[in-house]
Structures are given as structure tokens and as C-alpha cells.
Amino acid sequence: DNQQSKSLPIVTTAIYPPASISSMFGLYGGYGGLFGGISRKKASKPKKKKKENWFERLTVDQNKQLCKAAKLRHVGKKQDLIDRLTADPQTSIYGFEMQYVGLNVEKIKTKCRERSLQVSGTKFDLVLRILHCDNGSTPAGTTLKRAATDVVKTVDATTGSVVEKHVPKKRKKAAPSASRVYTRVQKKIEAVSQKKYQSHWGSKTHSTEVYGLVSDILHNEVVQSDEGYLSNNPRFALSIAEAACTSLTDNFDTMCRRGYDDYGGWCTIDSSLRTIVEAAKPILSEEEKEGTAEWIEAMYNEAEPYGLVDGTDLMRTIEFIRGSDDEQKSDENETEAGAVDDRKPAAAVASAAPTKAVASALHTKAGAETLEKNSHVVKENVVNSSMM
């Protein structure tokens, strides 16, 4: 046996754990296992501290410009410039942006208007403009941007000298354009995707605001316009109404809740359209009348399934522009005039004539005597007519 064992070769084998054990090791622990293991956490970036001082968000060059405009020393590091601007009374009010401290952009614009300065640009532009105006430190070769003003001369009551005062010009509102009106209504309808209209209650207000915009264009910008479009240029007034209503019709399906009209926008649309059509009808050709009736009818057909036009006279307006409404009115008036006697009871017809005779006879003494003599005749007529 010993000799046989010496002659046999020695074989070495490596022993590996079973695959199931290694998989369990990786599952329950190990490096990156599902239920444990070594996990590396990412280092979180430090949050940037919010800068409550406006000067800290500006560049060094911008702070230097503010220091020059306020006639402060403008050399040194950025923090030195900020300290000077914060310590100076005329500039410190612009640096702090807390809720109850400092000035926001709207208040800064108000200060610009008080100085007849332009209100366009960023906050830095506005503050720099104010400092240049207050300190007379406008750089050489540049002009201070002032608002368009008119010079008004007044006489001082105490000194008697003439004082010139710059008063901002009142800009005239631009005349409405059919293309711009169409775009305004379209953008308002497409604003349904905004966040404020996504809630349950917010979605109900979108259609109301759209109808309010259309009614505001027709009533305030056309019918009640200071330019007098209805009398001076009724064809232009009709084109503006067509642009607003056509835009509403073309984009009507974009709205999500079309049946809400909380402020009566459709009633205003109805009355304003009737007024515009009445003013423009005499100067329109037959083709233009038919075209006007078609776009009004198209808008009516879009709104009718939602009950928006219930109680309105849009169909009467369509008939009026086509010329059939006038004939219908005249026929109705004739019918009413002929049917008056048929509707009255016999007693009322009999008593109508004595009533007029009584009213005219009371003004004279002779009439009073005649009334006393004929009173029994009147009573008999009334009694007989009621018996019949």
C-alpha cells in the first residue's frame, strides 16, 4: 500500500463555494447587496445662503457706478463698496429687499415718475437713473433718460415769477387692430394650460374670463370708444367685432369648461353686437351682410349646445342683418293693431268712450252740467254691455 501511494500523482484542486451561496451572499449582504452591504453616500453640496442685500448680487463694476452716481468713494474691494452704499442714507433704501424694509421695483418706478424719468429697464437702471437725477452726476457725453413731458408755465403767487414745470404727456391709446384683437382672444383661450386654471375651481374661471375679454373689446373698445367708431367709421367697428368673435369661434374647442359664464359676458356680447350691426348695416353690400350673418351664426352654433345664448337675441340680430327682421316686426305691429279690439272685453270697449268724455268735460262748467245729464245714459250702456 505504501508503495502504491508513493507512485500515485498528487492532484491539488481549488474548492469554490456553490453558486447559490455566493448569490445569497451578494443578496443579503456583501458589497452592495439588496438588504445591506456597503453603500456610499454622495456628499451633499452646501446650500448657498440667500443674499438679502441687493448690492451683493451686483457686480463690482455696477457697485462702482452706483457709488459714482451717489458721489461716494468708488475705490476698493467689492465689500468696501457695499459697505459704503449700505451706510449712505440715499442708497441704503435700495439695498434691502426684505418684506417690510426697502423698496420694490414698483415703488422705485413711482419715484422715477415723480422725477419725470423713464420707467423702463432693470432695477439697476432705475436706481442709477434716480441717483444721477438727484445728485446731478450724469456722466459727460450722456443724457438722462426722461419721460416724454410737456412744459407748463405757471406764475408763482408769492414772487410773481414764471415757473416752468414738466408734466408727463398723456399718450393716446393706439387704435385697435383686427389682427391684434384676434391674437389677444386666441392667447387668452390658449392660457387654459396655465397652472392657475388646472385646479377644480380654477378651471371654471377660464371660460368666464374669455367671454369677459370678448365683451370688453366689443363694449369698451368699440361701442363706448372715445373715437366714436360707430358714427365715424362703422365698417371698422364691425371688423373689430368680427375679429374678436371669429377668434372665439375658431378656438372654442380649446377651452375645457365652456359652459361657465359667471359675469354675463354673453349678454354684453349680444347687446354690443346688435348696436354695432345697426350702425354698420346701412353701408354694407348684400355680400357683406351675408358674410356678417354667417360669422355671427357660426359663433351662435358653437355656444348654443352649452346654453350660453339662452335669453339672448343673437338670432334676431342675424335676421336683422339679412333684412328679414324688419318685415317680421312690421307684420307683428300690424297684427297687434288689428287684434286690439278683439282682445278687449265688451264692457271695456263700451266704457272707453265715456271715460274720455268725462276727462274732457270736467274742465268746464258746461261740461259738468252735460256730464250730470248724460250720466244715466253712460251707466245704462255699461250695464247693458256687461249683461251681453
Side-chain angles (χ1 to χ4, degrees):
D1 292 338
N2 294 333
Q3 292 178 356
Q4 290 179 359
S5 63
K6 290 180 181 179
S7 61
L8 293 175
I10 300 173
V11 180
T12 58
T13 57
I15 300 174
Y16 297 97
S20 59
I21 298 176
S22 61
S23 61
M24 291 176 60
F25 179 74
L27 181 65
Y28 292 100
Y31 296 92
L34 180 63
F35 297 102
I38 300 173
S39 60
R40 296 182 180 179
K41 293 184 178 179
K42 293 183 179 180
S44 59
K45 296 181 180 180
K47 293 183 180 179
K48 292 183 179 180
K49 187 178 180 181
K50 187 178 179 181
K51 298 177 181 179
E52 296 181 354
N53 194 322
W54 176 62
F55 300 124
E56 295 178 359
R57 300 206 304 270
L58 300 179
T59 62
V60 177
D61 183 62
Q62 289 176 330
N63 284 316
K64 284 185 178 181
Q65 291 185 48
L66 293 177
C67 288
K68 289 180 182 179
K71 294 185 176 181
L72 300 174
R73 191 165 176 264
H74 55 276
V75 294
K77 297 180 180 180
K78 180 178 179 179
Q79 190 59 43
D80 298 333
L81 301 175
I82 294 174
D83 294 340
R84 294 190 195 109
L85 292 171
T86 307
D88 191 83
Q90 64 173 334
T91 57
S92 60
I93 56 175
Y94 305 111
F96 298 102
E97 294 181 324
M98 291 180 286
Q99 186 174 3
Y100 301 104
V101 181
L103 300 175
N104 55 21
V105 176
E106 288 300 323
K107 292 180 181 179
I108 295 174
K109 285 184 178 181
T110 303
K111 294 174 75 67
C112 288
R113 293 188 184 98
E114 293 173 355
R115 294 162 173 78
S116 299
L117 300 175
Q118 288 186 2
V119 294
S120 60
T122 61
K123 179 180 177 179
F124 172 76
D125 298 329
L126 299 175
V127 174
L128 188 64
R129 208 170 290 157
I130 292 173
L131 294 177
H132 281 158
C133 179
D134 293 347
N135 298 283
S137 56
T138 306
T142 60
T143 56
L144 190 62
K145 292 185 177 181
R146 292 188 176 275
T149 58
D150 290 326
V151 178
V152 179
K153 295 182 179 181
T154 57
V155 179
D156 193 353
T158 57
T159 61
S161 59
V162 178
V163 180
E164 293 184 354
K165 186 178 180 180
H166 292 269
V167 179
K169 288 184 178 180
K170 292 183 178 180
R171 297 182 180 179
K172 292 183 179 180
K173 289 185 177 180
S177 169
S179 60
R180 289 199 298 268
V181 167
Y182 186 96
T183 305
R184 283 172 58 191
V185 178
Q186 183 181 23
K187 287 184 176 180
K188 186 62 179 177
I189 295 175
E190 292 176 350
V192 68
S193 59
Q194 293 181 0
K195 185 177 179 180
K196 63 179 180 179
Y197 298 126
Q198 299 307 310
S199 64
H200 174 74
W201 297 108
S203 60
K204 296 180 179 180
T205 63
H206 177 253
S207 59
T208 299
E209 294 179 4
V210 172
Y211 305 145
L213 174 61
V214 176
S215 64
D216 181 72
I217 291 173
L218 298 183
H219 185 263
N220 296 336
E221 300 184 17
V222 178
V223 176
Q224 298 292 337
S225 174
D226 297 334
E227 303 297 330
Y229 296 127
L230 293 182
S231 57
N232 299 333
N233 195 352
R235 190 185 299 274
F236 173 75
L238 185 63
S239 67
I240 299 300
E242 180 181 1
C245 296
T246 304
S247 180
L248 176 62
T249 304
D250 294 345
N251 302 279
F252 194 81
D253 293 336
T254 307
M255 294 185 290
C256 60
R257 293 193 170 187
R258 308 169 188 88
Y260 285 91
D261 182 21
D262 297 335
Y263 302 132
W266 277 95
C267 294
T268 307
I269 292 172
D270 173 36
S271 59
S272 300
L273 266 181
R274 181 65 184 222
T275 304
I276 296 170
V277 166
E278 288 176 352
K281 182 180 177 180
I283 63 173
L284 298 179
S285 63
E286 293 300 325
E287 294 180 358
E288 291 173 332
K289 291 178 183 178
E290 183 60 28
T292 301
E294 287 178 358
W295 60 258
I296 296 177
E297 189 173 10
M299 182 180 66
Y300 178 89
N301 293 334
E302 290 287 348
E304 194 271 336
Y306 301 93
L308 295 169
V309 293
D310 294 347
T312 63
D313 291 332
L314 283 177
M315 290 304 299
R316 297 292 299 272
T317 302
I318 295 171
E319 295 172 358
F320 171 77
I321 195 64
R322 284 174 172 160
S324 59
D325 191 54
D326 295 334
E327 299 175 0
Q328 183 179 357
K329 281 186 177 180
S330 61
D331 295 338
E332 289 177 0
N333 293 335
E334 292 176 359
T335 305
E336 290 176 2
V340 168
D341 296 334
D342 298 336
R343 290 196 302 266
K344 286 184 179 181
V349 175
S351 61
T355 303
K356 294 182 179 179
V358 170
S360 60
L362 288 175
H363 293 285
T364 59
K365 293 182 180 179
E369 295 176 358
T370 305
L371 180 62
E372 291 178 0
K373 293 179 181 180
N374 298 333
S375 60
H376 65 283
V377 178
V378 174
K379 292 179 180 178
E380 290 178 0
N381 291 336
V382 174
V383 172
N384 293 334
S385 62
S386 62
M387 293 288 291
M388 295 173 63

